[in-house]
Amino acid sequence: MVYQKLKGTADLLPIDTNKWQFVEEKAKAVLHTYQFKEIRTPMFEQLELFARGVGETSDIVTKEMYDFKDKGDRHIALRPEGTAGVVRAYVENKLYGPEHHKPVKLFYTGPMFRYERPQSGRQRQFHQLGVEVFGSRNPATDVETMVLAMDLFKQYEISDLKLVINSLGSKESRKEYRKALIAFLEPHFDQLSRDSKERLYKNPLRVLDSKDKGDQAIVKGAPSILDYLDEESRRHFEAVKEMLSDLNIPYIIDTNMVRGLDYYNDTIFEVITTNPKFGANATICAGGRYDGLVEEVGGKSVPDTPAFGFGCGLERLILLLDHMDYPFPEMSQLDAFIVTIGEQADRAANRLAYHLRHNGLAVEREFMNRKPAKQFKTADKMNARLVFTFGDAEIVTNVVKVKNLTTGKQAEVSLEKLYADFTRTYKELILKLEKGE
Ligand code: ATP
Ligand code: MG
């Protein structure tokens, strides 16, 4: 039996995790400047939470759920997205209480699970970085959060990215729009794709973002949702546009953009790459305002809590950086490599590695007892700054040879002194190496 990973999953090897850590660290630094705090919620929840939170008619719930009964007969699902769990945690832990600064700004990263047809940029286990802001209806929150999303990408100098925005208005105005859209689509019913036929009366807005070419041609002439906004939503959307312009952030309005999840109102947005190597699945980040979700999950006893959030697909971001040949930093940054000659050297190397590491240095050593030339080659390949060499003589004298691989200069150091007063002896060694012996 040969085991293989399940379809739609991936092994991230060290060459990959080097990139992932880099991207995650950069993102966390940006999130800090926007004062978002990390939240970690469980990887699985009651199925019902997602059905409620994500929407019963969404693709995620109807087709893509990884759900199962546990041994206690609970119906459970691996989380397909981050928002529902964070909202549940917000309610359960009463983060709306007076001791919490408003709005509450949270971020999360981690794996999500969807039963999808795997392809480039689409997996069954994938990773999202997402944020949620709770408690502000201010359009400045929409803008700050969208700008944060753009800032996460800005540091990589990705040129082919566009911010696409739209407004879904309020629940009430959407009802009017829904009627108008159905009236517009009905005469084209026979030409619509099967999916869209099915959606026409259940969720006609989803016909607008159909991936079917025939549907796309039809909806080009559809009425614009922006013509149906009520006064409050219209003013909200105007304010959002103004504040984006204040920051000189370019955006495109796509009145046919709706989101797959059911819970959004007013501002929604996507960050899409136009990189020619990308092809399909070009949406890297998507989100918007969902003022009704906290009540949907938490019930009437929770104070009215408007919210705004997004989710970013990390696989897609890293794929884009790879397509751009982004110069990720070197993987190994090694302070010292210890060469051993003869088995006698093992004990001494063991001790030296321990001391160097306890003084904060990154150290690798020889374990395989290979020829010295091979070891030096390895040290070079690992980009080691210093090489310490132990042979029979060094074990007797307790003085070890050190070479700086960058300059080629050599020096000697007494281990007795090094172990007794590391900081001073090490500093002297570095100085000696600068001059060379
Ligand atoms: P799509 O239309 O591509 O299926 P979606 O609307 O289902 O996307 P969201 O639920 O909004 O996606 O998730 C936010 C982001 O997470 C997406 O923009 C994408 O970058 C990423 N994402 C979603 N599903 C997957 C997946 N199966 N594999 C990898 N990344 C994904
Ligand atoms: Mg999807």
Side-chain angles (χ1 to χ4, degrees):
M1 178 75 196
V2 180
Y3 294 108
Q4 289 185 316
K5 61 181 177 300
L6 290 171
K7 212 169 143 181
T9 65
D11 297 316
L12 297 179
L13 304 179
I15 189 169
D16 308 306
T17 51
N18 180 53
K19 297 178 189 174
W20 280 75
Q21 285 171 8
F22 176 75
V23 166
E24 285 162 1
E25 274 159 29
K26 268 190 173 288
K28 281 179 186 165
V30 176
L31 285 158
H32 172 72
T33 65
Y34 281 80
Q35 282 297 287
F36 278 73
K37 303 280 195 278
E38 186 176 9
I39 183 166
R40 300 189 191 193
T41 67
M43 218 90 83
F44 56 86
E45 302 260 6
Q46 252 173 289
L47 173 90
E48 186 55 28
L49 171 68
F50 299 117
R52 281 233 122 176
V54 180
E56 316 265 359
T57 64
S58 65
D59 283 354
I60 293 182
V61 171
T62 55
K63 301 183 198 154
E64 300 171 0
M65 216 58 134
Y66 265 98
D67 62 318
F68 59 97
K69 288 273 177 77
D70 76 0
K71 293 192 195 332
D73 209 34
R74 297 173 193 89
H75 201 169
I76 277 171
L78 302 184
R79 62 181 185 195
E81 53 94 59
T83 302
V86 173
V87 169
R88 198 248 335 117
Y90 175 85
V91 171
E92 190 171 337
N93 296 284
K94 298 194 170 57
L95 297 187
Y96 47 77
E99 66 275 33
H100 300 284
H101 173 71
K102 303 277 163 356
V104 174
K105 306 206 286 192
L106 303 170
F107 81 88
Y108 59 83
T109 55
M112 307 293 161
F113 307 86
R114 296 185 194 178
Y115 194 77
E116 300 214 61
R117 200 163 57 79
Q119 48 192 275
S120 168
R122 195 175 291 286
Q123 294 176 191
R124 290 182 174 176
Q125 176 176 338
F126 64 99
H127 298 76
Q128 281 185 349
L129 182 157
V131 311
E132 318 291 350
V133 183
F134 294 107
S136 163
R137 214 180 292 278
N138 189 337
T141 287
D142 308 29
V143 173
E144 180 183 90
T145 313
M146 292 192 285
V147 173
L148 159 63
M150 294 309 281
D151 269 358
L152 291 173
F153 307 122
K154 197 172 181 181
Q155 43 192 334
Y156 307 105
E157 291 177 35
I158 306 171
S159 49
D160 30 19
L161 266 192
K162 53 181 187 181
L163 171 64
V164 183
I165 65 172
N166 191 20
S167 173
L168 295 179
S170 67
K171 231 185 193 166
E172 292 71 46
S173 67
R174 207 148 64 236
K175 271 188 203 138
E176 284 308 302
Y177 177 66
R178 205 186 121 102
K179 274 192 221 153
L181 184 59
I182 293 176
F184 168 82
L185 289 172
E186 266 174 339
H188 302 280
F189 187 83
D190 291 336
Q191 296 106 278
L192 286 176
S193 69
R194 227 180 58 196
D195 274 352
S196 289
K197 279 188 177 120
E198 212 174 282
R199 283 175 180 150
L200 181 58
Y201 296 102
K202 266 198 257 165
N203 196 347
L205 269 70
R206 294 294 317 282
V207 177
L208 293 176
D209 78 342
S210 165
K211 288 181 175 130
D212 180 273
K213 289 266 180 302
D215 292 346
Q216 284 172 355
I218 294 169
V219 301
K220 271 213 176 97
S224 162
I225 194 163
L226 297 181
D227 293 334
Y228 288 78
L229 299 186
D230 57 32
E231 187 52 24
E232 201 185 331
S233 289
R234 208 185 50 72
R235 260 189 285 134
H236 188 98
F237 197 48
E238 283 306 313
V240 165
K241 290 189 289 182
E242 261 168 33
M243 281 186 268
L244 283 173
S245 302
D246 286 344
L247 302 179
N248 289 320
I249 294 184
Y251 61 84
I252 295 164
I253 299 173
D254 178 356
T255 57
N256 279 352
M257 181 178 74
V258 295
R259 300 282 315 126
L261 315 186
D262 296 342
Y263 51 59
Y264 289 105
N265 64 277
D266 287 306
T267 320
I268 57 168
F269 77 101
E270 291 191 5
V271 182
I272 301 174
T273 173
T274 50
N275 185 306
K277 290 189 194 156
F278 222 79
N281 307 327
T283 301
I284 300 192
C285 182
R289 180 163 278 286
Y290 48 92
D291 293 340
L293 184 63
V294 174
E295 185 182 315
E296 182 73 32
V297 168
K300 291 262 183 235
S301 62
V302 179
D304 179 30
T305 307
F308 195 97
F310 66 69
C312 273
L314 291 178
E315 277 80 4
R316 291 188 195 176
L317 170 57
I318 288 169
L319 196 61
L320 175 60
L321 294 175
D322 279 340
H323 283 325
M324 288 164 49
D325 289 319
Y326 186 82
F328 287 100
E330 283 281 335
M331 199 159 46
S332 69
Q333 261 156 8
L334 195 59
D335 295 308
F337 187 92
I338 305 172
V339 167
T340 67
I341 305 169
E343 275 164 30
Q344 294 299 322
D346 259 339
R347 272 182 78 188
N350 187 45
R351 239 184 123 195
L352 177 62
Y354 184 80
H355 268 277
L356 295 177
R357 286 172 181 151
H358 278 221
N359 284 284
L361 302 184
V363 180
E364 188 50 285
R365 52 153 292 181
E366 175 68 8
F367 285 105
M368 315 310 286
N369 206 10
R370 294 170 304 161
K371 297 221 164 66
K374 278 245 159 86
Q375 298 186 40
F376 267 92
K377 222 177 187 171
T378 302
D380 203 35
K381 221 168 114 187
M382 288 182 157
N383 233 339
R385 198 153 81 103
L386 305 183
V387 176
F388 291 73
T389 304
F390 275 114
D392 292 342
E394 284 76 17
I395 291 156
V396 176
T397 58
N398 225 12
V399 171
V400 66
K401 285 200 191 71
V402 189
K403 183 174 178 182
N404 182 325
L405 283 193
T406 332
T407 61
K409 293 198 168 140
Q410 302 205 46
E412 285 189 342
V413 65
S414 148
L415 291 178
E416 208 172 313
K417 271 204 209 156
L418 189 69
Y419 296 163
D421 184 357
F422 184 88
T423 314
R424 211 171 91 193
T425 318
Y426 191 71
K427 222 187 237 161
E428 279 169 14
L429 171 67
I430 298 292
L431 278 176
K432 266 203 268 179
L433 277 167
E434 261 170 32
K435 287 192 237 116
E437 281 183 352

